[in-house]
Amino acid sequence: MIIRADSELGALLTLFVFASAFIGIFASAVLLVFRKFRMTRKVLVGTLGSVSLYVIVVLLVSLLSPQTIVNIGDSYCMDIWCIAVEQVTPSRREQDTLYKVDVRIFSDANTVKTSAKGAAVYLLDDRGRRFNLVNDPSVIPFDVPLDPRQSIHTTLTFAVASDAEHLFLPTSYHHAGDEGSVPFWVKLYFGSEANYLHKRTLLRVL
């Protein structure tokens, strides 16, 4: 099963709202030039009120939406960049446990390249502890560029505290690089993973 982060319908709805707002502001400016003050105020208030209502609805939906947990074997796509956890191999050591997470990474694009460049990769346990990726030069890099429809298999290695019971691989808006670079209007896509207040999707590892 493939779970997708973004909603094309949500993106179109957002673009429609912002396009309508632009038209409303432009119409207000024209009315103001012709000294139609009362009509200017009505159009401007209506435009700003509609945009504000849309933003509030998006934030409420993001806040109230349940967190998505992707099971081992299922795929998760952030736009055109996709990943699936296929197998997990633990190796106990004296002070911690080494987890080798076999993943399949693939492109859902038809014409452009994609990659996870700039993404922070780590495991998260149910106590909120973060375990960073252990560098392994013998495997294919996690953020290797992918051609359209290309698929690769690689292994992610993590050193995890021995008392960790449930582990997850958090997702992020990889195709946009650093999450801070995501444009604000993308964060207002209705139903998108990138939304403000949206709970980050987690891939189950343990």
Side-chain angles (χ1 to χ4, degrees):
M1 181 173 66
I2 298 179
I3 300 172
R4 300 184 183 278
D6 299 324
S7 167
E8 292 184 2
L9 182 60
L12 291 174
L13 178 60
T14 304
L15 293 176
F16 173 78
V17 169
F18 277 94
S20 299
F22 175 80
I23 294 173
I25 292 173
F26 179 77
S28 298
V30 172
L31 290 169
L32 187 61
V33 169
F34 287 96
R35 304 178 67 83
K36 303 288 187 179
F37 300 119
R38 182 175 297 179
M39 185 61 68
T40 297
R41 183 168 53 188
K42 286 184 178 180
V43 173
L44 190 59
V45 169
T47 299
L48 296 179
S50 298
V51 172
S52 299
L53 179 61
Y54 174 77
V55 171
I56 290 172
V57 170
V58 168
L59 294 178
L60 284 176
V61 170
S62 298
L63 183 63
L64 298 176
S65 295
Q67 188 171 36
T68 300
I69 305 295
V70 182
N71 292 321
I72 294 177
D74 291 337
S75 301
Y76 184 73
C77 291
M78 290 153 280
D79 194 8
I80 57 176
W81 189 92
C82 308
I83 184 172
V85 174
E86 297 188 319
Q87 183 176 325
V88 182
T89 305
S91 300
R92 288 196 173 273
R93 305 192 299 186
E94 289 186 4
Q95 297 181 341
D96 55 23
T97 301
L98 200 67
Y99 283 90
K100 289 188 175 293
V101 183
D102 296 331
V103 298
R104 174 179 174 246
I105 298 171
F106 61 99
S107 168
D108 195 40
N110 292 317
T111 58
V112 299
K113 287 190 174 185
T114 186
S115 78
K117 186 174 182 180
V121 185
Y122 57 92
L123 288 185
L124 198 67
D125 73 356
D126 51 356
R127 293 158 61 182
R129 292 180 297 179
R130 174 171 169 165
F131 307 100
N132 293 327
L133 181 69
V134 175
N135 183 42
D136 185 353
S138 68
V139 301
I140 300 174
F142 179 81
D143 58 356
V144 64
L146 300 175
D147 291 322
R149 300 298 173 181
Q150 182 181 0
S151 175
I152 65 167
H153 293 267
T154 191
T155 300
L156 309 176
T157 302
F158 304 90
V160 177
S162 298
D163 60 347
E165 295 184 357
H166 301 286
L167 294 171
F168 304 93
L169 181 66
T171 64
S172 63
Y173 221 65
H174 291 301
H175 70 278
D178 186 356
E179 286 185 85
S181 68
V182 179
F184 78 92
W185 59 85
V186 174
K187 294 183 179 182
L188 291 175
Y189 282 2
F190 191 86
S192 170
E193 164 85 1
N195 282 351
Y196 296 105
L197 306 181
H198 197 288
K199 301 178 185 68
R200 178 177 293 188
T201 296
L202 301 174
L203 280 75
R204 190 183 302 280
V205 171
L206 180 66

